[in-house]
Structure formats: structure tokens, C-alpha cells
């Protein structure tokens, strides 16, 4: 069940990222795609370690931080950042 939800999220993210790429001028498309892939890869590389360290030090407080970051991200999306 969890794997299916994650797979659907990846499909949605990949198609949205590809659509965003077409909005940029040709001169900066490669730079945008490179920056996007670099940050995505960095998240995949550092996420597990940072997550385990956060869980070990904050326990259930991690969920409060995740919620706050989600609210900040929603606010940024709302104003178009």
C-alpha cells in the first residue's frame, strides 16, 4: 500500500517537473534541470541520515517540525515563490 502511494507521487512529480522545464528559455533549461536533479539527489543522499538523527534527538517532535515546514511550503506555493 505505501509503495503504491509513493509511486503515484513520483509519477506526479516527474510529469510536473517536465512541464515546468518547458516554461524556461532554451538558454537556461539545462541549468534548471541540472539544479533540480542535483537537489533531488542531495535529498535522497542526505535524507535518511538527517531523518534518523532528527528522530533520535527529537522523537515525536519530528512531526511538529514536518508540519511547520509543510505550512511554510504551502505558504510559499500560495504566494508563488
Amino acid at each position: 500500500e505505501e509503495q503504491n502511494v509513493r509511486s503515484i507521487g513520483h509519477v506526479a512529480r516527474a510529469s510536473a517537473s517536465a512541464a515546468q522545464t518547458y516554461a524556461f528559455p532554451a538558454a537556461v533549461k539545462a541549468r534548471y534541470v541540472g539544479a533540480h536533479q542535483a537537489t533531488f539527489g542531495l535529498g535522497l543522499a542526505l535524507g535518511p541520515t538527517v531523518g534518523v538523527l532528527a528522530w533520535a534527538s527529537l522523537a515525536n517532535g519530528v512531526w511538529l517540525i514536518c508540519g511547520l515546514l509543510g505550512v511554510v511550503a504551502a505558504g510559499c506555493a500560495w504566494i508563488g515563490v
Side-chain angles (χ1 to χ4, degrees):
E1 182 77 25
E2 180 184 333
Q3 184 64 35
N4 293 337
V5 171
R6 194 176 328 157
S7 297
I8 292 169
H10 286 169
V11 169
R13 183 200 58 82
S15 59
S17 295
Q20 285 178 327
T21 303
Y22 291 112
F24 287 93
V28 296
K29 276 185 190 179
R31 209 176 312 164
Y32 170 78
V33 171
H36 178 269
Q37 292 300 320
T39 55
F40 190 74
L42 189 62
L44 287 174
L46 296 179
T49 302
V50 172
V52 167
L53 290 173
W55 186 263
S57 63
L58 301 172
N60 285 330
V62 167
W63 299 117
L64 177 62
I65 292 171
C66 288
L68 292 173
L69 290 174
V71 169
V72 170
C76 289
W78 183 266
I79 63 172
V81 173

